[in-house]
Amino acid sequence: MRSMKNFYILCMLMLLSFTGIAQKKNYALSIHGAGGFLLAHRSVMAHLPQQHTGALNFRLSFLGKDGKYWQQLMNQPTYGLDVHFTSLGNKNLLGKGIAGLYFVDVPLSKSLFYPSVYGGAGLAWVEKIYDVQHNPKNNAIGSHLNLAVRLGLNMNYEWEQTHLHFGFHVMHFSNGASKMPNLGVNLPYVQLGVSQFIGDAETEEYATFKALRKDVTHWRILGVYSRKDVYPLLQKVSSVYSLSAIRTKYKSKYWSYDLGVEFIANQAQAKMFPNRVIKQGELLQVGLYTAYVLSFDRLDLFAGLGGYVKNDLNIAGWLYQKVGARYHFNDKWAVQFAIKANFGKADYLEYGINYTFHEK
C-alpha cells in the first residue's frame, strides 16, 4: 500500500510540474468520470469480474498551436498528462489501479461539435497481484508496476473556452511478460468530462526537428535489453538481448519507414525445454523487420511486422509484431521503447538505444 501511495504522489508531482510549464501557454484543466467493467478476455479469467468499474481522471492538456508541422497536419491536437484512478472489477483479487499517461487527442474535424481520437501510454500501479500463498486466484497480473495503454473515441462540444466530452475508451495494463502471470487487465468504459482552457497562444511558424530530415536516408544500429518470464511460475526471470541494423527512409516531414535485420538472443526459450540442453546457437533468432513510423517532432511512433529467417526452437511461430516509440535527443542518439508480440500475446518489452552512423 505504501508503494501505491508513492506512485500516486509521483503522478501528482508530474501533473504539478506540467502545470508550472503551462503558465505561458494555452492549456486546459480537465476532469472525467467513467464507468465500465473488467473484460475477461480469456476463459480462465471468467472468475475475476465481480463488480462494475469506476474511474476518475485529471488531465492537463496543451493546445497544439505552436505552428509545428505535425500540429497543423492533425487539426491542432491537445496533448499532455493524464492521471487515472480506477477500480479493477474485483476488489478482493485485484483492488485498485493508478495510471499516469502521456496522451495525444486528435480532432477529426474543425467544428464546434467534433469527434476526436485519443491515444495514451505510460505506467500503472496495480494494488493486488498474484501471490502463490495469499492471492493465487489472481491469474491476470503478476507485478505491481505495469505498462498502461489507453485508446478511445470521443465526441466533443466546444463552447468558448469550455469543452464537453463523451467517449468510449479501453484501458490496458500489462507488464509485457516480464513477470508471470501476465494475461493483462482490460477495462472498457464510457466517460463524461469537461475541460476549461486558460490563456491564449499565437501560432508561430518554424522548422521542426523532423522537417530538417525530409527526403533523407538513415542507417542506424539498435541495441535492446529486456527481461522475460515464462511458465511454470516462480522461476528466475531470463534476459533477452538483441542487436539490429536498420535503414530508415523519411518520405515526408511526418512519416518514414524502417527496414532492418535483427539478431535476438532470448534466453527464456531454454526454460521451455527443461529436459534438454539448449545451446546458444539454438537460442539465436534472426529476423527481418519493417515498420511504419509517424513523427511528432522529436518523437516517433511506430508499428511493424517481422518474420524470422532463423528460429530453431519455433516456440511462438515465425511472425512477430512491434508497437512502440522512439525519442531523438539529437541527430545521433535516440532511446526506444516497444512491445514485441506474437499476434496479441506479449513476448517481451524492448528497452533500446539507437545510434545513427550514416545519413545521406
Side-chain angles (χ1 to χ4, degrees):
M1 182 61 70
R2 178 178 297 178
S3 298
M4 191 172 188
K5 289 181 179 178
N6 291 340
F7 190 80
Y8 161 77
I9 293 172
L10 176 62
C11 289
M12 297 310 296
L13 287 175
M14 291 172 62
L15 190 62
L16 290 173
S17 66
F18 269 69
T19 305
I21 296 172
Q23 294 303 314
K24 295 183 179 180
K25 294 190 176 183
N26 193 331
Y27 69 100
L29 298 175
S30 310
I31 184 170
H32 299 256
F37 60 94
L38 170 64
L39 179 64
H41 55 281
R42 302 285 182 87
S43 59
V44 294
M45 299 175 63
H47 65 287
L48 287 178
Q50 295 295 320
Q51 302 95 28
H52 289 291
T53 60
L56 184 67
N57 70 284
F58 301 92
R59 185 182 301 175
L60 176 64
S61 308
F62 297 97
L63 181 60
K65 293 181 64 177
D66 296 330
K68 296 182 179 180
Y69 186 85
W70 69 271
Q71 295 174 353
Q72 300 172 43
L73 179 72
M74 297 184 176
N75 294 324
Q76 296 182 338
T78 56
Y79 58 96
L81 182 68
D82 196 339
V83 179
H84 189 90
F85 305 87
T86 183
S87 61
L88 299 176
N90 191 315
K91 62 182 180 181
N92 294 323
L93 300 184
L94 292 168
K96 300 177 181 179
I98 303 173
L101 306 99
Y102 183 83
F103 76 91
V104 177
D105 193 42
V106 181
L108 300 182
S109 66
K110 294 182 177 180
S111 60
L112 294 180
F113 186 70
Y114 62 95
S116 65
V117 176
Y118 174 104
L123 296 176
W125 186 267
V126 174
E127 180 184 6
K128 298 180 180 180
I129 62 173
Y130 171 84
D131 185 275
V132 66
Q133 293 182 339
H134 303 293
N135 198 12
K137 293 185 178 180
N138 179 355
N139 59 354
I141 207 76
S143 62
H144 288 294
L145 187 63
N146 295 274
L147 175 70
V149 177
R150 180 178 165 193
L151 301 174
L153 179 64
N154 298 315
M155 294 302 299
N156 312 274
Y157 178 73
E158 179 181 347
W159 181 57
E160 296 182 350
Q161 294 288 83
T162 302
H163 290 204
L164 303 177
H165 314 281
F166 171 79
F168 174 77
H169 287 229
V170 177
M171 177 76 84
H172 174 73
F173 294 164
S174 169
N175 63 42
S178 61
K179 184 67 175 177
M180 291 297 185
N182 184 51
L183 295 177
V185 174
N186 291 317
L187 304 170
Y189 56 86
V190 294
Q191 73 167 25
L192 291 171
V194 59
S195 300
Q196 181 64 42
F197 280 87
I198 303 170
D200 196 8
E202 296 182 0
T203 300
E204 298 179 1
E205 298 286 345
Y206 60 91
T208 67
F209 181 76
K210 278 292 175 284
L212 302 177
R213 293 173 173 266
K214 183 181 178 182
D215 297 327
V216 298
T217 299
H218 287 176
W219 285 94
R220 298 183 289 110
I221 55 174
L222 167 66
V224 165
Y225 175 75
S226 185
R227 303 280 284 172
K228 179 175 173 60
D229 197 7
V230 296
Y231 289 105
L233 299 174
L234 305 180
Q235 297 187 87
K236 184 178 179 180
V237 178
S238 301
S239 296
V240 181
Y241 311 92
S242 75
L243 183 66
S244 304
I246 302 170
R247 176 185 182 271
T248 300
K249 177 65 176 179
Y250 290 92
K251 301 299 293 183
S252 75
K253 296 179 180 180
Y254 65 93
W255 80 271
S256 59
Y257 65 87
D258 289 345
L259 294 174
V261 56
E262 51 188 339
F263 302 87
I264 306 166
N266 185 347
Q267 305 299 311
Q269 294 182 100
K271 294 182 178 179
M272 306 298 290
F273 301 90
N275 299 320
R276 175 182 163 191
V277 177
I278 304 297
K279 298 180 180 180
Q280 285 296 318
E282 295 178 276
L283 295 177
L284 178 64
Q285 297 170 295
V286 181
L288 300 178
Y289 166 77
T290 185
Y292 175 83
V293 185
L294 190 62
S295 298
F296 302 87
D297 201 17
R298 293 179 180 269
L299 178 67
D300 295 337
L301 302 180
F302 59 86
L305 175 67
Y308 295 111
V309 295
K310 182 182 183 301
N311 185 26
D312 295 345
L313 300 178
N314 191 23
I315 294 174
W318 288 85
L319 296 178
Y320 59 91
Q321 303 80 42
K322 290 186 183 182
V323 178
R326 181 167 57 236
Y327 183 82
H328 297 265
F329 293 108
N330 51 44
D331 288 338
K332 294 294 184 181
W333 293 98
V335 293
Q336 179 169 313
F337 176 80
I339 303 173
K340 182 173 178 286
N342 302 99
F343 295 100
K345 183 179 180 181
D347 194 358
Y348 53 84
L349 302 178
E350 292 188 342
Y351 310 95
I353 298 177
N354 289 263
Y355 179 74
T356 300
F357 62 92
H358 182 68
E359 177 178 321
K360 65 178 182 178

